[in-house]
Amino acid sequence: MIITVMPQKTTPTLSFQGALGAYSHLACDNFKPGCQVLPCVDFASAIRAVHEGQADLACLPVDNSIAGRVADMHHLLPDSQLQIVAETFIPIEHCVMSVKGATLKGIQHVHSHVHALPQCRQYIKKQGWQAHVASDTAAAAEMVAEKGDPTQAAIASRIAAGIYGLDILAENVADAAHNTTRFVLMAPMANKCPLPDINTPCLTSFVFQVRSIPAALYKALGGFATNGLNLVKIESYMIDGDFAAARFYAEVEGHPLSKSMQLALEELGFYADAVHLLGTYAQHAFRQA
C-alpha cells in the first residue's frame, strides 16, 4: 500500500480588496512576510473568502490619517463573524504613473481609489487634471496600462508601477507627509486565537448601541474613565437609516481579562445594547513612534 503524505501548508493566504500592487497587498506582506495573497473585488468578498476557506485571514484598511475612516468598514466589521488579531500601519507614498513616453505636462486625467484622490487633492488641482474614481489604486494602474493612452495617469504605489509596466512621473504627491493607513488582520471567530499576554500593551475594539435615554453615551463610557482606561477612538454611524439611535465603534487601551476592563464593560452594559467585542490585539510599535 502506498501512503501519500500531503505537504503541510507553511504560509497563510491573506485576502484583501484590490488588485496586485494595492496598498492592501503591501499590508498583507507586512503582517505575514512571504504570505500568499488573494485579491478580491470588494471588502465583503475579502471577508467571504475567509469563511469559504479560500483565505486564512483577511487584511482590511480601517483608517487613513488624511481621509479618515474607510467607508463601509465599520458596517462590515460587526457582522463579519471575524475577529481582529493584529494591526499595522503603512506609510502611503503615492506616485503618479502612466505609459511609456507620457509626461506630466501631457496628462489630462488621473485615476485612483476614492480615498487616494482626496489625499492628493491639492496636487491634482494644481496640475489641472480631471480625477476619476477607480476600485483601488492598483486597479487604476492596471487600467491605465491597458488603455495605453499617454493623457491618462494613475495614482498608486511604486510596486504597482512595476507590476503593470508603467513609468513613474512623480513621487510622494500626497498633500500631507504623514499620510498613513491603518490596517487590521482578521481571523475566523471559531479559530479561538489566543489573547495577547495581559501585560502587553493592547487594544480592545468593540461596537455598541446606546439606549435612547438622556446622557446614555456619557454614562455608558463613564466606566472607562473611572477605571483608568484610555479610550483612544470612538465613532458613530447610522444603522439602517434610523435617526433615533446610532451604533458606536470604539477602541480602548486595555485587556478584557483585566479587572478594570471587566468593570468598565459591565458598566457599559447597563446603558448600552448589542455590545460586541471585535478583538483584542497587541498595539503596533507605530503608536509609540
Side-chain angles (χ1 to χ4, degrees):
M1 181 176 64
I2 299 176
I3 300 176
T4 303
V5 179
M6 299 297 292
Q8 188 173 12
K9 185 177 179 181
T10 58
T11 57
T13 298
L14 275 61
S15 59
F16 69 93
Q17 182 275 327
L20 295 176
Y23 289 102
S24 292
H25 182 185
L26 303 182
C28 288
D29 198 58
N30 199 304
F31 277 125
K32 301 287 183 181
C35 68
Q36 300 178 58
V37 294
L38 177 67
C40 299
V41 295
D42 53 33
F43 297 129
S45 297
I47 291 170
R48 189 164 56 249
V50 176
H51 289 299
E52 293 177 352
Q54 297 173 296
D56 302 296
L57 303 159
C59 174
L60 303 172
V62 288
D63 301 289
N64 176 266
S65 61
I66 298 177
R69 73 184 183 193
V70 175
D72 296 333
M73 192 50 59
H74 295 111
H75 291 281
L76 289 170
L77 292 182
D79 301 320
S80 69
Q81 297 182 38
L82 301 180
Q83 58 186 316
I84 303 173
V85 295
E87 66 171 357
T88 194
F89 295 80
I90 300 294
I92 305 301
E93 299 175 353
H94 288 313
C95 298
V96 177
M97 57 196 68
S98 188
V99 296
K100 304 292 183 182
T103 63
L104 280 178
K105 192 172 181 180
I107 299 300
Q108 298 175 16
H109 302 268
V110 64
H111 307 262
S112 198
H113 187 260
V114 65
H115 281 282
L117 292 172
Q119 294 164 20
C120 309
R121 182 180 290 110
Q122 294 303 317
Y123 181 85
I124 294 171
K125 182 179 179 181
K126 182 179 178 181
Q127 299 295 332
W129 297 338
Q130 185 174 348
H132 304 273
V133 174
S135 59
D136 68 275
T137 56
E142 184 178 20
M143 182 191 65
V144 167
E146 290 175 351
K147 284 192 172 186
D149 183 350
T151 68
Q152 309 284 326
I155 291 178
S157 68
R158 172 175 287 277
I159 190 174
I163 290 173
Y164 301 109
L166 299 176
D167 282 347
I168 293 177
L169 306 182
E171 299 180 88
N172 297 322
V173 298
D175 296 334
H178 61 69
N179 191 11
T180 304
T181 297
R182 176 180 175 235
F183 293 82
V184 293
L185 187 65
M186 305 196 72
M189 287 285 187
N191 281 11
K192 302 295 183 183
C193 298
L195 291 171
D197 184 89
I198 197 168
N199 296 314
T200 298
C202 61
L203 289 178
T204 295
S205 297
F206 57 96
V207 292
F208 64 94
Q209 184 175 336
V210 293
R211 296 169 188 161
S212 187
I213 58 175
L217 181 60
Y218 172 80
K219 294 174 181 177
L221 299 180
F224 296 98
T226 56
N227 286 285
L229 296 172
N230 184 26
L231 192 67
V232 299
K233 180 177 183 178
I234 182 166
E235 293 182 338
S236 65
Y237 55 102
M238 192 180 297
I239 307 174
D240 298 327
D242 186 356
F243 287 92
R247 177 180 281 173
F248 291 87
Y249 173 90
E251 294 174 352
V252 62
E253 293 180 342
H255 197 289
L257 296 183
S258 69
K259 186 65 174 177
S260 57
M261 179 69 86
Q262 291 176 347
L263 289 172
L265 290 174
E266 182 181 5
E267 190 163 342
L268 174 67
F270 293 148
Y271 303 100
D273 294 318
V275 179
H276 176 44
L277 295 181
L278 296 175
T280 297
Y281 45 97
Q283 295 184 35
H284 193 272
F286 181 88
R287 292 182 179 275
Q288 284 75 47

